[in-house]
Amino acid sequence: MSTLLERALAYLDALEADRRAALALSEQKAEEARLIKARHEGFQAAMEMLGGENPVGNAEADPEQPGRRRARRRIPQLILRELSFSGQAMSASQIAKAIDYNIERTQTALTRLEKAGQLLRNGEGRWAIGITATARLHEHAAAGNGKSASPADV
């Protein structure tokens, strides 16, 4: 009977050792879970500091990354703004260089703006802003200052 009692006590000791090992393992897992949670919270805080922007989801393209497109620019508005800021007539090539755009497409946009009455071309082939374009620029400037322009005005 003593051997049976010894075997039972040995079995109880083994169970106790297994229990302690399981507790130690669960403490390690609990610590690992706390560390992962801390990393997660730190990353969330960093994202909030960056304004919640996700670089993968940005609409504007990075010119260094192939296959991504840049946001479309409003060339007629850029031309009108450039001419209004300069205050003097400019050649098509000067305008193209100022707005960083292709010369042929700039000339196309200039012709369309002339047909719309927003630009005038002098005898030397230089372009100047027209009266209607000046009024539109003032409307856009007012809209940008907190006043809302109706869709019919734009």
Side-chain angles (χ1 to χ4, degrees):
M1 204 54 137
S2 68
T3 59
L4 189 56
L5 186 60
E6 289 173 0
R7 284 180 47 203
L9 288 174
Y11 180 72
L12 285 176
D13 287 341
L15 285 177
E16 180 63 21
D18 287 344
R19 186 185 72 80
R20 287 184 183 158
L23 284 174
L25 185 60
S26 67
E27 287 174 5
Q28 287 176 341
K29 289 294 182 182
E31 180 64 22
E32 185 178 341
R34 283 191 291 272
L35 290 172
I36 291 171
K37 183 179 178 186
R39 276 188 260 154
H40 183 262
E41 290 170 352
F43 189 77
Q44 282 181 325
M47 290 296 291
E48 287 174 13
M49 281 190 250
L50 294 173
E53 293 182 12
N54 185 354
V56 174
N58 280 348
E60 291 190 11
D62 184 1
E64 300 296 324
Q65 293 182 351
R68 299 197 70 190
R69 297 179 67 189
R70 285 190 352 188
R72 189 176 186 121
R73 300 187 314 153
R74 297 179 178 175
I75 299 304
Q77 286 81 3
L78 290 174
I79 291 171
L80 293 172
R81 185 180 301 151
E82 186 61 37
L83 286 170
S84 69
F85 286 159
S86 73
Q88 58 187 358
M90 297 173 70
S91 69
S93 61
Q94 288 174 322
I95 295 169
K97 185 176 180 180
I99 64 171
D100 191 27
Y101 198 57
N102 180 316
I103 183 67
E104 292 83 17
R105 291 185 180 176
T106 301
Q107 288 174 334
T108 302
L110 289 168
T111 304
R112 288 180 183 160
L113 287 167
E114 181 182 32
K115 286 179 183 176
Q118 295 181 316
L119 291 183
L120 303 170
R121 186 177 4 185
N122 65 16
E124 300 170 354
R126 293 184 170 272
W127 297 88
I129 196 161
I131 301 285
T132 58
T134 306
R136 279 197 170 195
L137 280 174
H138 290 300
E139 288 173 6
H140 287 292
N145 289 330
K147 299 178 184 175
S148 62
S150 68
D153 293 339
V154 179

